[in-house]
Amino acid sequence: MMKNQTTISRVLLMSLSDNQKISYLLFIIFLLIYLMTFLTNFLIILLVLTCAHLHTPMYFFLGNLAFLDMSYSSVTAPRMLRHLTTQHWSISFPECIAQMFFVIYFGTCEVYLLSSMSYDRYLMAGFTFSLDS
């Protein structure tokens, strides 16, 4: 009895554009967006760590959210930028699995952090309301 012995070694990624000029334009646009995202999140983290007035739970959550956002965008953006400038549009299967793991991991962490931030805000709003009454 013959079994299917197919193994997946590489995953082919689809390009946003086959036109090289449009690819370079997209590269510049996405590079600027990625750099702005990375820089602003890094500055938020730096500000929260250095300023003593910002050592409150809300800014603790905000610093962690900035770290997760920076990590989440750093998983996908560099590879996408590489694929926009080269004609090498494949990724090995283990790299694909690792990238998928980190995208799901950081996305899930961000959802849980946002949920805890909203719950913290809900409790603080209720606490403030009960003190005023």
Side-chain angles (χ1 to χ4, degrees):
M1 185 164 153
M2 196 76 154
K3 290 186 176 181
N4 186 0
Q5 299 295 321
T6 305
T7 59
I8 299 172
S9 62
R10 302 206 62 80
V11 177
L12 184 63
L13 302 172
M14 300 300 293
S15 175
L16 292 174
S17 174
D18 291 333
N19 187 344
Q20 196 67 19
K21 289 181 181 181
I22 294 175
S23 291
Y24 285 133
L25 178 66
L26 289 172
F27 172 79
I28 291 170
I29 291 170
F30 285 127
L31 179 65
L32 290 175
I33 291 170
Y34 174 65
L35 289 176
M36 282 185 356
T37 301
F38 194 85
L39 184 64
T40 54
N41 285 318
F42 182 74
L43 289 176
I44 288 171
I45 293 169
L46 191 65
L47 186 65
V48 168
L49 289 176
T50 57
C51 187
H53 297 292
L54 301 180
H55 291 174
T56 62
M58 182 178 79
Y59 290 104
F60 170 77
F61 283 132
L62 189 63
N64 282 310
L65 186 63
F67 174 75
L68 284 173
D69 190 34
M70 192 169 57
S71 301
Y72 185 77
S73 61
S74 294
V75 170
T76 55
R79 182 167 296 277
M80 181 186 63
L81 292 171
R82 184 180 134 221
H83 290 301
L84 282 171
T85 57
T86 65
Q87 298 299 321
H88 182 71
W89 295 334
S90 65
I91 183 173
S92 72
F93 190 67
E95 289 173 333
C96 182
I97 295 297
Q99 186 171 356
M100 288 282 295
F101 170 78
F102 284 112
V103 165
I104 292 169
Y105 175 76
F106 287 127
T108 304
C109 287
E110 194 165 341
V111 166
Y112 281 120
L113 185 64
L114 286 170
S115 298
S116 60
M117 287 173 74
S118 65
Y119 187 67
D120 178 61
R121 181 69 183 154
Y122 172 74
L123 288 178
M124 294 307 287
F127 183 71
T128 306
F129 179 72
S130 64
L131 288 178
D132 291 340
S133 300

